Amino acid sequence: MSFRILLVCTANICRSAMGEVIARAMLQSAPLPVATGSAGVRALVGQPMAPHAVGALGKLGLDGRAHRARMLDLDLVRSADLLLTMEAGHVAVAVDLDPAAAHKTFTLPEFAALASGAGGRRYRSDTVERARAIVQSAGARRNRRRALEVYDPYGGPPEGYDACAKTLGESLSHALGALLGPR
């Protein structure tokens, strides 16, 4: 049994795609099985990652060339233990597909902040159940203010993609660190 994380953006050729590659790299030596994927609410199905996104990942020593965009659907929402979106509007689309997913769907920066705050609680380390408990705790502590979002660099200069990759890496580091527990 693995813990399943789905990253979601608009077209699935930039933010969520880069996030998936970054998360996979961070999880290579994870103490528990974590599966990652990505999808878009208006995906350019089958399209590769945007060239500047591939370039930004390349600067981090990562390769996004194999990525192909896919559409967010009900099966993907239901099969995920945690949905990390780039914008509040993406949260709304996921929850419209499956209202029961509201408790496990967050913007990435929102979840990173909420999950980091759950670190003081005592959970059994390194288990899928612990990761699910962190998600539940984050959902219970969520406030209804406008969630933090990840800037969309699509169509802009390469520097915007580099900044986006940095934001994704920082947020994923906090989120995954909380889910995986002390190391």
Side-chain angles (χ1 to χ4, degrees), residues 68-90:
R68 294 297 175 266
R70 67 181 174 166
M71 186 70 71
L72 182 68
D73 63 25
L74 180 60
D75 288 338
L76 287 173
V77 172
R78 287 187 173 161
S79 67
D81 292 298
L82 174 62
L83 287 94
L84 297 173
T85 74
M86 301 302 126
E87 300 175 10
H90 304 143

Side-chain angles (χ1 to χ4, degrees), residues 24-66:
R24 279 200 181 135
M26 290 178 169
L27 292 165
Q28 282 182 339
S29 62
L32 72 138
V34 180
T36 60
S38 65
V41 299
R42 290 191 309 270
L44 299 176
V45 176
Q47 292 297 306
M49 193 180 297
H52 289 321
V54 171
L57 289 176
K59 292 175 186 174
L60 301 174
L62 302 172
D63 187 354
R65 293 175 297 176

Side-chain angles (χ1 to χ4, degrees), residues 23-160:
R24 279 200 181 135
M26 290 178 169
L27 292 165
Q28 282 182 339
S29 62
L32 72 138
V34 180
T36 60
S38 65
V41 299
R42 290 191 309 270
L44 299 176
V45 176
Q47 292 297 306
M49 193 180 297
H52 289 321
V54 171
L57 289 176
K59 292 175 186 174
L60 301 174
L62 302 172
D63 187 354
R65 293 175 297 176
H67 175 81
R68 294 297 175 266
R70 67 181 174 166
M71 186 70 71
L72 182 68
D73 63 25
L74 180 60
D75 288 338
L76 287 173
V77 172
R78 287 187 173 161
S79 67
D81 292 298
L82 174 62
L83 287 94
L84 297 173
T85 74
M86 301 302 126
E87 300 175 10
H90 304 143
V91 171
V93 172
V95 173
D96 281 349
L97 284 169
D98 183 9
H103 75 282
K104 64 180 184 178
T105 307
F106 305 83
T107 67
L108 172 57
E110 173 191 29
F111 182 77
L114 289 168
S116 294
R121 293 190 54 191
R122 294 284 175 211
Y123 298 102
R124 280 188 344 158
S125 260
D126 304 340
T127 65
V128 170
E129 291 79 20
R130 176 190 190 282
R132 289 185 179 140
I134 294 283
V135 172
Q136 183 177 19
S137 172
R141 290 180 297 106
R142 174 188 311 191
N143 64 43
R144 296 297 169 197
R145 289 180 290 164
R146 182 158 172 80
L148 298 172
E149 298 181 336
V150 177
Y151 165 77
D152 187 357
Y154 187 73
E159 297 79 23

Side-chain angles (χ1 to χ4, degrees), residues 7 15-16 18-27 56-57 60 62 84 86 108-109 112 116 150 161-177:
L7 292 112
R15 293 173 289 175
S16 62
M18 287 194 301
E20 178 184 4
V21 172
I22 292 167
R24 279 200 181 135
M26 290 178 169
L27 292 165
L57 289 176
L60 301 174
L62 302 172
L84 297 173
M86 301 302 126
L108 172 57
S116 294
V150 177
Y161 291 81
D162 296 341
C164 182
K166 181 179 182 202
T167 298
L168 290 167
E170 290 169 354
S171 291
L172 283 165
S173 179
H174 291 296
L176 298 175

